[in-house]
Amino acid sequence: MSSNSALATGAGNDISYGRGCLGSNCMYESPNLSNVWLGEAQARKLIGGELGDVYRRVLSTSCAPICWFPKQGPPDFENMRSGTVTFVRTPVKLMGITAAHVVTEFVLAEELAPQTVMLMNAVLPKLNVIDISERLDLATFEIDDAILNAVGKGISPLTNWPPQAPTEGRGILMAGYPALVRLTKGVVQNVGIIEWGLFTVLGTAGRVSDEQISWMIDRERNVKHPTIPDPPPNAELGGISGGPVISLLERRGVHYWGLSGIISQASAQLERIVAKRADLIAADGKIDRSFA
């Protein structure tokens, strides 16, 4: 009988979109300063520089890739499925949130053969689902600090709760781990070597409905990063489902960020991302059944 398979993972090549503002003037939303009206050139410089890097660190530390593969034999990279998990620490629970279809795909694979499920470098003994809504494409599951410490990178769960829906035309951050930039390095003694690249968006919310948040690429206003390339046109971003949509918020002059949504789908043809609103999730991980 062949031995159990495993993965050793690390950081890979990132890709990103950035957007300075909507028009000739824009509101600079700083985590440390009062709102300041800036010209487009100034805003683009900030997003393309240190401020953009701060926001990308917020995204990187709040999510991780999830993947699964048969326990027996070496990892099958070609057929390995993956998604993204967003980590939150509410007043009552530490948990992972992802898209319901990510969990459903894992369950179907588990029915065919026992699976190893991993959050980057951390092996989950079991995927303990708290709640799932296939109609809303939201799922929550149990997590603990020991698992977070084993992920293989610094994780800082999002803590502002409850989630708040973004305002159309105001700043949002998004991230996920697409298979597009997943690099496989081979198998050594039944351990697969893989690198994960993070896709990030520093943009503005499009249409916000009772259930969804949408965002579309605006290449004319894209702010290029000096070292992180843009995704190619009509890129297939499968794997980002479950990633966070984070709003840039302000209350009484204090600037902060908080979870607003969970990525559900990405259309390569339309270059559009749709997320489900996270305020449908209660602090204990239960999903609002009036929608589900």
Side-chain angles (χ1 to χ4, degrees), residues 147-220:
I147 291 294
L148 291 188
N149 292 336
V151 164
K153 65 170 184 172
I155 295 292
S156 296
L158 298 168
T159 56
N160 283 312
W161 201 268
Q164 297 182 49
T167 301
E168 294 182 2
R170 296 299 298 271
I172 57 171
L173 316 175
M174 294 189 290
Y177 287 87
L180 173 72
V181 287
R182 188 175 70 201
L183 301 177
T184 57
K185 299 293 187 177
V187 179
V188 178
Q189 296 181 344
N190 231 37
V191 176
I193 311 299
I194 191 168
E195 292 182 353
W196 300 92
L198 182 65
F199 166 76
T200 56
V201 170
L202 315 181
T204 53
R207 177 170 170 73
V208 179
S209 70
D210 289 342
E211 298 181 13
Q212 295 190 158
I213 304 159
S214 66
W215 173 85
M216 293 189 70
I217 293 171
D218 183 349
R219 294 188 180 276
E220 291 185 0

Side-chain angles (χ1 to χ4, degrees), residues 110-142:
E110 181 81 356
E111 290 175 352
L112 295 176
Q115 300 285 307
T116 296
V117 58
M118 300 187 69
L119 284 171
M120 205 163 181
N121 278 348
V123 177
L124 294 180
K126 184 180 179 181
L127 192 63
N128 291 315
V129 175
I130 301 169
D131 203 359
I132 185 168
S133 168
E134 293 187 2
R135 195 184 79 76
L136 291 173
D137 202 21
L138 289 170
T140 57
F141 63 94
E142 303 276 358

Side-chain angles (χ1 to χ4, degrees), residues 29-84:
E29 297 173 283
S30 163
N32 299 313
L33 303 174
S34 298
N35 285 346
V36 178
W37 284 99
L38 299 176
E40 182 169 1
Q42 292 171 294
R44 291 170 69 88
K45 183 177 180 180
L46 285 167
I47 289 296
E50 292 183 1
L51 179 63
D53 291 339
V54 168
Y55 287 154
R56 288 184 181 91
R57 281 195 294 274
V58 171
L59 290 165
S60 175
T61 58
S62 63
C63 66
I66 184 172
C67 66
W68 55 93
F69 45 88
K71 288 184 177 181
Q72 298 300 320
D76 182 357
F77 289 131
E78 184 174 347
N79 296 308
M80 186 178 73
R81 304 291 292 173
S82 67
T84 303

